[in-house]
Amino acid sequence: MVLSLAFLALAGLPPASAAPLSFEDSLGAVREQIIGARDEQVKAKAGDLSGRIDRAASDAGRLRWGAQRLRDRIRDIRWRAQRQSRDNGRPGRPQDPWLRNEIDRAVWDLRDLARDASLLTRDAQDMAREATKDPALLEPAQRLDREGQMLQNETQWLESDARMASWDIRRAGYSMEAWDIERESSNAGSSARALSRAARSLLDK
């Protein structure tokens, strides 16, 4: 009797007013409650993972816009470096006093882009390990895959722009800075490609 009352309490059923339940019925009620709680936990976990994937897609989109802005800045640096190399040695044509600072800032921002894409890659890899076949995850995973591909494409153009700019930066007298621009743009491209692969792995999962 004590055991039966315990099962009824666990099942959330009133022991006195309801019709008496058999041991098997009580056990079944408890089992249903446990299964229901587990289903709720699975749904909550899937909802949390969906939100994480969606946030990762938004972050990838922000990185893509950042890469586009960096392309504009590197093209501007290239133009200023070309102008400085033409004007070198000409009377009354002083060097661009801010060019080195602009190159340094571009290097720092390229480094940040590579780092942020690498961190996002690790997040995507973690989410791929956690993911199960769930229709609720499909749309955010597709969005992350799409943003990852666009970021990869943008950084490929960024690498190309940086390589071309590096020649003019060297001619303007900034050999080490030109090397930094090439290296960090290559690192950004590698990180973006890794993110795109991780996003595709998540989608395939």
Side-chain angles (χ1 to χ4, degrees), residues 97-146:
W98 304 110
L99 180 56
R100 184 189 294 274
N101 289 338
E102 288 298 320
I103 296 171
D104 288 341
R105 284 180 54 205
V107 170
W108 297 333
D109 289 343
L110 285 166
R111 191 174 295 136
D112 288 345
L113 175 62
R115 181 203 61 210
D116 292 345
S118 181
L119 291 172
L120 198 53
T121 297
R122 287 202 288 271
D123 288 343
Q125 291 168 341
D126 289 342
M127 290 185 290
R129 283 190 289 269
E130 296 175 30
T132 58
K133 290 190 179 298
D134 186 341
L137 302 179
L138 180 59
E139 185 176 346
Q142 287 175 332
R143 184 177 171 225
L144 177 58
D145 179 59
R146 185 168 57 251

mmCIF file of all heavy atoms in Angstrom, residues 97-146:
data_model
loop_
_atom_site.group_PDB
_atom_site.id
_atom_site.type_symbol
_atom_site.label_atom_id
_atom_site.label_comp_id
_atom_site.label_asym_id
_atom_site.label_seq_id
_atom_site.Cartn_x
_atom_site.Cartn_y
_atom_site.Cartn_z
ATOM 1 N N PRO A 97 51.656 60.891 -44.954
ATOM 2 C CA PRO A 97 52.064 60.695 -43.555
ATOM 3 C C PRO A 97 51.254 59.632 -42.821
ATOM 4 O O PRO A 97 51.684 59.144 -41.774
ATOM 5 C CB PRO A 97 51.848 62.073 -42.930
ATOM 6 C CG PRO A 97 50.772 62.694 -43.758
ATOM 7 C CD PRO A 97 50.992 62.188 -45.155
ATOM 8 N N TRP A 98 50.086 59.270 -43.350
ATOM 9 C CA TRP A 98 49.207 58.327 -42.649
ATOM 10 C C TRP A 98 49.170 56.953 -43.305
ATOM 11 O O TRP A 98 48.456 56.074 -42.818
ATOM 12 C CB TRP A 98 47.783 58.892 -42.582
ATOM 13 C CG TRP A 98 47.717 60.244 -41.954
ATOM 14 C CD1 TRP A 98 47.448 61.431 -42.565
ATOM 15 C CD2 TRP A 98 47.952 60.552 -40.582
ATOM 16 N NE1 TRP A 98 47.495 62.462 -41.671
ATOM 17 C CE2 TRP A 98 47.799 61.947 -40.431
ATOM 18 C CE3 TRP A 98 48.272 59.796 -39.461
ATOM 19 C CZ2 TRP A 98 47.959 62.586 -39.218
ATOM 20 C CZ3 TRP A 98 48.435 60.429 -38.238
ATOM 21 C CH2 TRP A 98 48.275 61.805 -38.125
ATOM 22 N N LEU A 99 49.924 56.762 -44.358
ATOM 23 C CA LEU A 99 49.833 55.497 -45.092
ATOM 24 C C LEU A 99 50.268 54.314 -44.230
ATOM 25 O O LEU A 99 49.598 53.275 -44.198
ATOM 26 C CB LEU A 99 50.670 55.564 -46.374
ATOM 27 C CG LEU A 99 50.658 54.290 -47.236
ATOM 28 C CD1 LEU A 99 49.241 53.891 -47.611
ATOM 29 C CD2 LEU A 99 51.519 54.507 -48.493
ATOM 30 N N ARG A 100 51.396 54.454 -43.526
ATOM 31 C CA ARG A 100 51.856 53.342 -42.696
ATOM 32 C C ARG A 100 50.822 52.978 -41.631
ATOM 33 O O ARG A 100 50.576 51.796 -41.361
ATOM 34 C CB ARG A 100 53.185 53.690 -42.030
ATOM 35 C CG ARG A 100 53.780 52.522 -41.216
ATOM 36 C CD ARG A 100 54.985 52.984 -40.402
ATOM 37 N NE ARG A 100 56.087 53.383 -41.258
ATOM 38 C CZ ARG A 100 56.995 52.535 -41.745
ATOM 39 N NH1 ARG A 100 56.893 51.237 -41.488
ATOM 40 N NH2 ARG A 100 57.978 52.992 -42.503
ATOM 41 N N ASN A 101 50.206 54.001 -41.018
ATOM 42 C CA ASN A 101 49.184 53.721 -40.008
ATOM 43 C C ASN A 101 47.996 52.962 -40.599
ATOM 44 O O ASN A 101 47.448 52.047 -39.966
ATOM 45 C CB ASN A 101 48.692 55.021 -39.369
ATOM 46 C CG ASN A 101 49.726 55.649 -38.456
ATOM 47 O OD1 ASN A 101 50.633 54.969 -37.979
ATOM 48 N ND2 ASN A 101 49.599 56.948 -38.216
ATOM 49 N N GLU A 102 47.598 53.355 -41.812
ATOM 50 C CA GLU A 102 46.478 52.679 -42.455
ATOM 51 C C GLU A 102 46.819 51.226 -42.781
ATOM 52 O O GLU A 102 45.975 50.326 -42.645
ATOM 53 C CB GLU A 102 46.081 53.420 -43.742
ATOM 54 C CG GLU A 102 45.379 54.741 -43.501
ATOM 55 C CD GLU A 102 44.068 54.569 -42.754
ATOM 56 O OE1 GLU A 102 43.332 53.602 -43.053
ATOM 57 O OE2 GLU A 102 43.784 55.376 -41.854
ATOM 58 N N ILE A 103 48.040 50.988 -43.202
ATOM 59 C CA ILE A 103 48.471 49.614 -43.482
ATOM 60 C C ILE A 103 48.458 48.790 -42.197
ATOM 61 O O ILE A 103 47.962 47.649 -42.171
ATOM 62 C CB ILE A 103 49.877 49.601 -44.117
ATOM 63 C CG1 ILE A 103 49.840 50.294 -45.486
ATOM 64 C CG2 ILE A 103 50.384 48.167 -44.278
ATOM 65 C CD1 ILE A 103 51.227 50.526 -46.085
ATOM 66 N N ASP A 104 48.991 49.369 -41.109
ATOM 67 C CA ASP A 104 49.017 48.655 -39.833
ATOM 68 C C ASP A 104 47.603 48.322 -39.355
ATOM 69 O O ASP A 104 47.337 47.214 -38.862
ATOM 70 C CB ASP A 104 49.740 49.487 -38.773
ATOM 71 C CG ASP A 104 51.240 49.555 -38.999
ATOM 72 O OD1 ASP A 104 51.767 48.691 -39.730
ATOM 73 O OD2 ASP A 104 51.879 50.481 -38.448
ATOM 74 N N ARG A 105 46.688 49.263 -39.481
ATOM 75 C CA ARG A 105 45.303 49.021 -39.069
ATOM 76 C C ARG A 105 44.671 47.906 -39.887
ATOM 77 O O ARG A 105 43.927 47.064 -39.364
ATOM 78 C CB ARG A 105 44.478 50.298 -39.212
ATOM 79 C CG ARG A 105 44.724 51.336 -38.118
ATOM 80 C CD ARG A 105 43.870 52.565 -38.342
ATOM 81 N NE ARG A 105 42.465 52.229 -38.470
ATOM 82 C CZ ARG A 105 41.562 52.969 -39.112
ATOM 83 N NH1 ARG A 105 41.921 54.103 -39.693
ATOM 84 N NH2 ARG A 105 40.310 52.592 -39.165
ATOM 85 N N ALA A 106 44.969 47.887 -41.190
ATOM 86 C CA ALA A 106 44.438 46.827 -42.051
ATOM 87 C C ALA A 106 44.981 45.464 -41.631
ATOM 88 O O ALA A 106 44.251 44.467 -41.620
ATOM 89 C CB ALA A 106 44.777 47.110 -43.506
ATOM 90 N N VAL A 107 46.258 45.417 -41.276
ATOM 91 C CA VAL A 107 46.853 44.165 -40.808
ATOM 92 C C VAL A 107 46.155 43.686 -39.539
ATOM 93 O O VAL A 107 45.817 42.503 -39.398
ATOM 94 C CB VAL A 107 48.367 44.333 -40.572
ATOM 95 C CG1 VAL A 107 48.944 43.120 -39.846
ATOM 96 C CG2 VAL A 107 49.089 44.546 -41.894
ATOM 97 N N TRP A 108 45.921 44.585 -38.586
ATOM 98 C CA TRP A 108 45.245 44.211 -37.335
ATOM 99 C C TRP A 108 43.828 43.699 -37.619
ATOM 100 O O TRP A 108 43.393 42.706 -37.022
ATOM 101 C CB TRP A 108 45.171 45.406 -36.395
ATOM 102 C CG TRP A 108 46.513 45.920 -35.958
ATOM 103 C CD1 TRP A 108 47.680 45.203 -35.858
ATOM 104 C CD2 TRP A 108 46.824 47.261 -35.569
ATOM 105 N NE1 TRP A 108 48.708 46.016 -35.445
ATOM 106 C CE2 TRP A 108 48.223 47.297 -35.249
ATOM 107 C CE3 TRP A 108 46.101 48.445 -35.454
ATOM 108 C CZ2 TRP A 108 48.873 48.438 -34.836
ATOM 109 C CZ3 TRP A 108 46.754 49.594 -35.027
ATOM 110 C CH2 TRP A 108 48.125 49.583 -34.730
ATOM 111 N N ASP A 109 43.132 44.385 -38.513
ATOM 112 C CA ASP A 109 41.762 43.981 -38.800
ATOM 113 C C ASP A 109 41.720 42.650 -39.552
ATOM 114 O O ASP A 109 40.794 41.843 -39.352
ATOM 115 C CB ASP A 109 41.051 45.069 -39.597
ATOM 116 C CG ASP A 109 40.757 46.305 -38.750
ATOM 117 O OD1 ASP A 109 40.807 46.196 -37.507
ATOM 118 O OD2 ASP A 109 40.502 47.380 -39.327
ATOM 119 N N LEU A 110 42.678 42.402 -40.420
ATOM 120 C CA LEU A 110 42.771 41.101 -41.081
ATOM 121 C C LEU A 110 43.028 40.000 -40.055
ATOM 122 O O LEU A 110 42.441 38.906 -40.128
ATOM 123 C CB LEU A 110 43.891 41.110 -42.121
ATOM 124 C CG LEU A 110 43.612 41.860 -43.425
ATOM 125 C CD1 LEU A 110 44.909 42.066 -44.205
ATOM 126 C CD2 LEU A 110 42.596 41.096 -44.277
ATOM 127 N N ARG A 111 43.887 40.303 -39.083
ATOM 128 C CA ARG A 111 44.171 39.329 -38.024
ATOM 129 C C ARG A 111 42.915 39.042 -37.211
ATOM 130 O O ARG A 111 42.640 37.888 -36.855
ATOM 131 C CB ARG A 111 45.290 39.877 -37.148
ATOM 132 C CG ARG A 111 45.879 38.872 -36.155
ATOM 133 C CD ARG A 111 47.071 39.488 -35.444
ATOM 134 N NE ARG A 111 48.157 39.756 -36.373
ATOM 135 C CZ ARG A 111 48.881 40.881 -36.404
ATOM 136 N NH1 ARG A 111 48.603 41.868 -35.557
ATOM 137 N NH2 ARG A 111 49.866 41.021 -37.254
ATOM 138 N N ASP A 112 42.156 40.096 -36.892
ATOM 139 C CA ASP A 112 40.906 39.909 -36.148
ATOM 140 C C ASP A 112 39.909 39.076 -36.952
ATOM 141 O O ASP A 112 39.200 38.226 -36.382
ATOM 142 C CB ASP A 112 40.281 41.263 -35.808
ATOM 143 C CG ASP A 112 41.060 42.010 -34.725
ATOM 144 O OD1 ASP A 112 41.897 41.377 -34.057
ATOM 145 O OD2 ASP A 112 40.831 43.229 -34.586
ATOM 146 N N LEU A 113 39.828 39.320 -38.251
ATOM 147 C CA LEU A 113 38.917 38.566 -39.104
ATOM 148 C C LEU A 113 39.276 37.082 -39.082
ATOM 149 O O LEU A 113 38.389 36.218 -38.952
ATOM 150 C CB LEU A 113 38.974 39.105 -40.533
ATOM 151 C CG LEU A 113 38.157 38.347 -41.595
ATOM 152 C CD1 LEU A 113 36.672 38.384 -41.262
ATOM 153 C CD2 LEU A 113 38.409 38.948 -42.981
ATOM 154 N N ALA A 114 40.564 36.771 -39.203
ATOM 155 C CA ALA A 114 41.004 35.372 -39.177
ATOM 156 C C ALA A 114 40.690 34.728 -37.832
ATOM 157 O O ALA A 114 40.210 33.589 -37.764
ATOM 158 C CB ALA A 114 42.497 35.294 -39.478
ATOM 159 N N ARG A 115 40.931 35.466 -36.740
ATOM 160 C CA ARG A 115 40.672 34.930 -35.404
ATOM 161 C C ARG A 115 39.186 34.669 -35.184
ATOM 162 O O ARG A 115 38.783 33.598 -34.703
ATOM 163 C CB ARG A 115 41.184 35.920 -34.362
ATOM 164 C CG ARG A 115 40.983 35.467 -32.904
ATOM 165 C CD ARG A 115 40.977 36.659 -31.970
ATOM 166 N NE ARG A 115 39.896 37.577 -32.288
ATOM 167 C CZ ARG A 115 39.945 38.899 -32.091
ATOM 168 N NH1 ARG A 115 41.018 39.466 -31.589
ATOM 169 N NH2 ARG A 115 38.901 39.668 -32.401
ATOM 170 N N ASP A 116 38.336 35.629 -35.566
ATOM 171 C CA ASP A 116 36.907 35.484 -35.344
ATOM 172 C C ASP A 116 36.329 34.350 -36.181
ATOM 173 O O ASP A 116 35.452 33.605 -35.719
ATOM 174 C CB ASP A 116 36.188 36.796 -35.660
ATOM 175 C CG ASP A 116 36.528 37.897 -34.667
ATOM 176 O OD1 ASP A 116 37.080 37.578 -33.598
ATOM 177 O OD2 ASP A 116 36.265 39.084 -34.977
ATOM 178 N N ALA A 117 36.800 34.206 -37.414
ATOM 179 C CA ALA A 117 36.333 33.102 -38.254
ATOM 180 C C ALA A 117 36.781 31.767 -37.681
ATOM 181 O O ALA A 117 36.046 30.765 -37.745
ATOM 182 C CB ALA A 117 36.841 33.272 -39.684
ATOM 183 N N SER A 118 37.972 31.730 -37.096
ATOM 184 C CA SER A 118 38.463 30.497 -36.485
ATOM 185 C C SER A 118 37.630 30.121 -35.255
ATOM 186 O O SER A 118 37.289 28.941 -35.056
ATOM 187 C CB SER A 118 39.937 30.670 -36.097
ATOM 188 O OG SER A 118 40.453 29.499 -35.521
ATOM 189 N N LEU A 119 37.284 31.106 -34.431
ATOM 190 C CA LEU A 119 36.441 30.841 -33.265
ATOM 191 C C LEU A 119 35.059 30.352 -33.692
ATOM 192 O O LEU A 119 34.494 29.423 -33.099
ATOM 193 C CB LEU A 119 36.304 32.111 -32.418
ATOM 194 C CG LEU A 119 37.567 32.571 -31.685
ATOM 195 C CD1 LEU A 119 37.343 33.934 -31.044
ATOM 196 C CD2 LEU A 119 37.977 31.556 -30.628
ATOM 197 N N LEU A 120 34.519 30.965 -34.732
ATOM 198 C CA LEU A 120 33.212 30.556 -35.237
ATOM 199 C C LEU A 120 33.274 29.143 -35.818
ATOM 200 O O LEU A 120 32.307 28.378 -35.714
ATOM 201 C CB LEU A 120 32.735 31.564 -36.288
ATOM 202 C CG LEU A 120 31.250 31.578 -36.624
ATOM 203 C CD1 LEU A 120 30.396 31.733 -35.369
ATOM 204 C CD2 LEU A 120 30.957 32.710 -37.607
ATOM 205 N N THR A 121 34.398 28.795 -36.415
ATOM 206 C CA THR A 121 34.577 27.437 -36.935
ATOM 207 C C THR A 121 34.485 26.414 -35.812
ATOM 208 O O THR A 121 33.825 25.373 -35.950
ATOM 209 C CB THR A 121 35.939 27.315 -37.646
ATOM 210 O OG1 THR A 121 35.967 28.200 -38.769
ATOM 211 C CG2 THR A 121 36.170 25.894 -38.135
ATOM 212 N N ARG A 122 35.150 26.697 -34.691
ATOM 213 C CA ARG A 122 35.094 25.767 -33.558
ATOM 214 C C ARG A 122 33.670 25.620 -33.033
ATOM 215 O O ARG A 122 33.251 24.513 -32.668
ATOM 216 C CB ARG A 122 36.035 26.234 -32.444
ATOM 217 C CG ARG A 122 37.500 26.015 -32.793
ATOM 218 C CD ARG A 122 38.362 25.971 -31.538
ATOM 219 N NE ARG A 122 38.501 27.281 -30.918
ATOM 220 C CZ ARG A 122 39.462 28.146 -31.237
ATOM 221 N NH1 ARG A 122 40.334 27.861 -32.183
ATOM 222 N NH2 ARG A 122 39.534 29.319 -30.619
ATOM 223 N N ASP A 123 32.926 26.726 -33.000
ATOM 224 C CA ASP A 123 31.523 26.646 -32.579
ATOM 225 C C ASP A 123 30.720 25.760 -33.528
ATOM 226 O O ASP A 123 29.909 24.932 -33.094
ATOM 227 C CB ASP A 123 30.903 28.042 -32.527
ATOM 228 C CG ASP A 123 31.412 28.869 -31.351
ATOM 229 O OD1 ASP A 123 31.984 28.271 -30.419
ATOM 230 O OD2 ASP A 123 31.247 30.100 -31.382
ATOM 231 N N ALA A 124 30.926 25.941 -34.826
ATOM 232 C CA ALA A 124 30.195 25.144 -35.817
ATOM 233 C C ALA A 124 30.561 23.669 -35.699
ATOM 234 O O ALA A 124 29.698 22.789 -35.840
ATOM 235 C CB ALA A 124 30.494 25.661 -37.223
ATOM 236 N N GLN A 125 31.811 23.376 -35.438
ATOM 237 C CA GLN A 125 32.231 21.981 -35.259
ATOM 238 C C GLN A 125 31.579 21.372 -34.022
ATOM 239 O O GLN A 125 31.151 20.206 -34.049
ATOM 240 C CB GLN A 125 33.754 21.908 -35.168
ATOM 241 C CG GLN A 125 34.460 22.223 -36.476
ATOM 242 C CD GLN A 125 35.953 22.424 -36.306
ATOM 243 O OE1 GLN A 125 36.446 22.684 -35.199
ATOM 244 N NE2 GLN A 125 36.701 22.303 -37.392
ATOM 245 N N ASP A 126 31.517 22.147 -32.936
ATOM 246 C CA ASP A 126 30.851 21.661 -31.725
ATOM 247 C C ASP A 126 29.373 21.388 -31.991
ATOM 248 O O ASP A 126 28.821 20.361 -31.555
ATOM 249 C CB ASP A 126 30.987 22.687 -30.593
ATOM 250 C CG ASP A 126 32.408 22.775 -30.054
ATOM 251 O OD1 ASP A 126 33.196 21.842 -30.298
ATOM 252 O OD2 ASP A 126 32.720 23.793 -29.397
ATOM 253 N N MET A 127 28.719 22.299 -32.706
ATOM 254 C CA MET A 127 27.295 22.128 -32.988
ATOM 255 C C MET A 127 27.056 20.938 -33.908
ATOM 256 O O MET A 127 26.047 20.239 -33.775
ATOM 257 C CB MET A 127 26.728 23.416 -33.587
ATOM 258 C CG MET A 127 26.651 24.544 -32.573
ATOM 259 S SD MET A 127 25.848 26.058 -33.180
ATOM 260 C CE MET A 127 27.054 26.670 -34.363
ATOM 261 N N ALA A 128 27.984 20.681 -34.830
ATOM 262 C CA ALA A 128 27.851 19.518 -35.703
ATOM 263 C C ALA A 128 27.917 18.225 -34.906
ATOM 264 O O ALA A 128 27.215 17.248 -35.211
ATOM 265 C CB ALA A 128 28.933 19.546 -36.780
ATOM 266 N N ARG A 129 28.758 18.210 -33.861
ATOM 267 C CA ARG A 129 28.843 17.007 -33.022
ATOM 268 C C ARG A 129 27.563 16.812 -32.207
ATOM 269 O O ARG A 129 27.166 15.675 -31.927
ATOM 270 C CB ARG A 129 30.051 17.108 -32.087
ATOM 271 C CG ARG A 129 31.378 16.825 -32.784
ATOM 272 C CD ARG A 129 32.508 16.703 -31.785
ATOM 273 N NE ARG A 129 32.857 17.985 -31.199
ATOM 274 C CZ ARG A 129 33.786 18.805 -31.698
ATOM 275 N NH1 ARG A 129 34.429 18.471 -32.807
ATOM 276 N NH2 ARG A 129 34.062 19.957 -31.110
ATOM 277 N N GLU A 130 26.924 17.910 -31.821
ATOM 278 C CA GLU A 130 25.712 17.811 -30.998
ATOM 279 C C GLU A 130 24.453 17.548 -31.822
ATOM 280 O O GLU A 130 23.472 17.021 -31.295
ATOM 281 C CB GLU A 130 25.512 19.114 -30.216
ATOM 282 C CG GLU A 130 26.601 19.430 -29.209
ATOM 283 C CD GLU A 130 26.396 20.785 -28.557
ATOM 284 O OE1 GLU A 130 25.219 21.195 -28.434
ATOM 285 O OE2 GLU A 130 27.380 21.436 -28.185
ATOM 286 N N ALA A 131 24.475 17.914 -33.081
ATOM 287 C CA ALA A 131 23.255 17.915 -33.889
ATOM 288 C C ALA A 131 22.775 16.491 -34.178
ATOM 289 O O ALA A 131 23.554 15.547 -34.284
ATOM 290 C CB ALA A 131 23.494 18.658 -35.199
ATOM 291 N N THR A 132 21.470 16.368 -34.286
ATOM 292 C CA THR A 132 20.828 15.139 -34.746
ATOM 293 C C THR A 132 19.932 15.509 -35.928
ATOM 294 O O THR A 132 19.725 16.689 -36.211
ATOM 295 C CB THR A 132 19.978 14.517 -33.626
ATOM 296 O OG1 THR A 132 18.994 15.485 -33.190
ATOM 297 C CG2 THR A 132 20.844 14.111 -32.448
ATOM 298 N N LYS A 133 19.427 14.496 -36.591
ATOM 299 C CA LYS A 133 18.522 14.774 -37.709
ATOM 300 C C LYS A 133 17.219 15.335 -37.157
ATOM 301 O O LYS A 133 16.420 14.613 -36.575
ATOM 302 C CB LYS A 133 18.278 13.499 -38.523
ATOM 303 C CG LYS A 133 19.491 13.034 -39.304
ATOM 304 C CD LYS A 133 19.138 11.932 -40.262
ATOM 305 C CE LYS A 133 20.372 11.492 -41.054
ATOM 306 N NZ LYS A 133 20.919 12.573 -41.879
ATOM 307 N N ASP A 134 17.051 16.636 -37.337
ATOM 308 C CA ASP A 134 15.893 17.332 -36.780
ATOM 309 C C ASP A 134 15.462 18.406 -37.764
ATOM 310 O O ASP A 134 16.254 19.291 -38.106
ATOM 311 C CB ASP A 134 16.270 17.964 -35.432
ATOM 312 C CG ASP A 134 15.080 18.588 -34.714
ATOM 313 O OD1 ASP A 134 14.055 18.860 -35.384
ATOM 314 O OD2 ASP A 134 15.176 18.807 -33.502
ATOM 315 N N PRO A 135 14.217 18.348 -38.255
ATOM 316 C CA PRO A 135 13.754 19.365 -39.220
ATOM 317 C C PRO A 135 13.873 20.791 -38.701
ATOM 318 O O PRO A 135 14.041 21.723 -39.484
ATOM 319 C CB PRO A 135 12.281 18.986 -39.456
ATOM 320 C CG PRO A 135 12.194 17.544 -39.089
ATOM 321 C CD PRO A 135 13.192 17.328 -37.983
ATOM 322 N N ALA A 136 13.803 20.961 -37.380
ATOM 323 C CA ALA A 136 13.885 22.308 -36.813
ATOM 324 C C ALA A 136 15.268 22.925 -36.996
ATOM 325 O O ALA A 136 15.420 24.146 -36.947
ATOM 326 C CB ALA A 136 13.536 22.273 -35.321
ATOM 327 N N LEU A 137 16.277 22.096 -37.223
ATOM 328 C CA LEU A 137 17.646 22.590 -37.385
ATOM 329 C C LEU A 137 17.997 22.868 -38.843
ATOM 330 O O LEU A 137 19.043 23.464 -39.113
ATOM 331 C CB LEU A 137 18.651 21.586 -36.813
ATOM 332 C CG LEU A 137 18.489 21.214 -35.336
ATOM 333 C CD1 LEU A 137 19.552 20.199 -34.937
ATOM 334 C CD2 LEU A 137 18.577 22.452 -34.453
ATOM 335 N N LEU A 138 17.148 22.421 -39.760
ATOM 336 C CA LEU A 138 17.497 22.495 -41.178
ATOM 337 C C LEU A 138 17.651 23.933 -41.667
ATOM 338 O O LEU A 138 18.665 24.290 -42.286
ATOM 339 C CB LEU A 138 16.449 21.768 -42.024
ATOM 340 C CG LEU A 138 16.703 21.761 -43.539
ATOM 341 C CD1 LEU A 138 18.041 21.114 -43.859
ATOM 342 C CD2 LEU A 138 15.572 21.049 -44.257
ATOM 343 N N GLU A 139 16.660 24.769 -41.383
ATOM 344 C CA GLU A 139 16.707 26.144 -41.892
ATOM 345 C C GLU A 139 17.886 26.946 -41.346
ATOM 346 O O GLU A 139 18.625 27.568 -42.127
ATOM 347 C CB GLU A 139 15.390 26.861 -41.598
ATOM 348 C CG GLU A 139 15.325 28.249 -42.212
ATOM 349 C CD GLU A 139 13.971 28.910 -42.002
ATOM 350 O OE1 GLU A 139 13.014 28.209 -41.626
ATOM 351 O OE2 GLU A 139 13.879 30.145 -42.216
ATOM 352 N N PRO A 140 18.128 26.947 -40.027
ATOM 353 C CA PRO A 140 19.311 27.685 -39.551
ATOM 354 C C PRO A 140 20.617 27.094 -40.072
ATOM 355 O O PRO A 140 21.569 27.839 -40.342
ATOM 356 C CB PRO A 140 19.218 27.590 -38.023
ATOM 357 C CG PRO A 140 18.249 26.503 -37.749
ATOM 358 C CD PRO A 140 17.320 26.449 -38.896
ATOM 359 N N ALA A 141 20.683 25.762 -40.222
ATOM 360 C CA ALA A 141 21.908 25.148 -40.764
ATOM 361 C C ALA A 141 22.118 25.553 -42.219
ATOM 362 O O ALA A 141 23.258 25.792 -42.650
ATOM 363 C CB ALA A 141 21.831 23.632 -40.644
ATOM 364 N N GLN A 142 21.048 25.650 -42.982
ATOM 365 C CA GLN A 142 21.161 26.109 -44.373
ATOM 366 C C GLN A 142 21.636 27.558 -44.424
ATOM 367 O O GLN A 142 22.443 27.917 -45.284
ATOM 368 C CB GLN A 142 19.806 25.978 -45.082
ATOM 369 C CG GLN A 142 19.420 24.550 -45.403
ATOM 370 C CD GLN A 142 18.020 24.446 -45.982
ATOM 371 O OE1 GLN A 142 17.142 25.275 -45.693
ATOM 372 N NE2 GLN A 142 17.787 23.438 -46.804
ATOM 373 N N ARG A 143 21.137 28.362 -43.503
ATOM 374 C CA ARG A 143 21.552 29.766 -43.475
ATOM 375 C C ARG A 143 23.036 29.890 -43.124
ATOM 376 O O ARG A 143 23.769 30.668 -43.745
ATOM 377 C CB ARG A 143 20.711 30.534 -42.458
ATOM 378 C CG ARG A 143 21.031 32.024 -42.436
ATOM 379 C CD ARG A 143 20.141 32.777 -41.481
ATOM 380 N NE ARG A 143 20.629 34.148 -41.342
ATOM 381 C CZ ARG A 143 20.743 34.786 -40.193
ATOM 382 N NH1 ARG A 143 20.399 34.197 -39.073
ATOM 383 N NH2 ARG A 143 21.199 36.019 -40.146
ATOM 384 N N LEU A 144 23.493 29.108 -42.146
ATOM 385 C CA LEU A 144 24.910 29.142 -41.780
ATOM 386 C C LEU A 144 25.771 28.663 -42.946
ATOM 387 O O LEU A 144 26.828 29.245 -43.228
ATOM 388 C CB LEU A 144 25.149 28.285 -40.547
ATOM 389 C CG LEU A 144 26.612 28.169 -40.085
ATOM 390 C CD1 LEU A 144 27.201 29.547 -39.789
ATOM 391 C CD2 LEU A 144 26.722 27.270 -38.859
ATOM 392 N N ASP A 145 25.325 27.621 -43.631
ATOM 393 C CA ASP A 145 26.074 27.122 -44.790
ATOM 394 C C ASP A 145 26.165 28.199 -45.867
ATOM 395 O O ASP A 145 27.237 28.411 -46.463
ATOM 396 C CB ASP A 145 25.380 25.871 -45.340
ATOM 397 C CG ASP A 145 26.079 25.307 -46.555
ATOM 398 O OD1 ASP A 145 27.271 24.951 -46.458
ATOM 399 O OD2 ASP A 145 25.442 25.214 -47.619
ATOM 400 N N ARG A 146 25.060 28.877 -46.114
ATOM 401 C CA ARG A 146 25.036 29.928 -47.145
ATOM 402 C C ARG A 146 25.956 31.088 -46.765
ATOM 403 O O ARG A 146 26.747 31.567 -47.602
ATOM 404 C CB ARG A 146 23.600 30.420 -47.332
ATOM 405 C CG ARG A 146 23.403 31.416 -48.455
ATOM 406 C CD ARG A 146 21.929 31.614 -48.737
ATOM 407 N NE ARG A 146 21.176 32.048 -47.572
ATOM 408 C CZ ARG A 146 20.301 31.290 -46.915
ATOM 409 N NH1 ARG A 146 20.085 30.037 -47.278
ATOM 410 N NH2 ARG A 146 19.643 31.781 -45.854
#
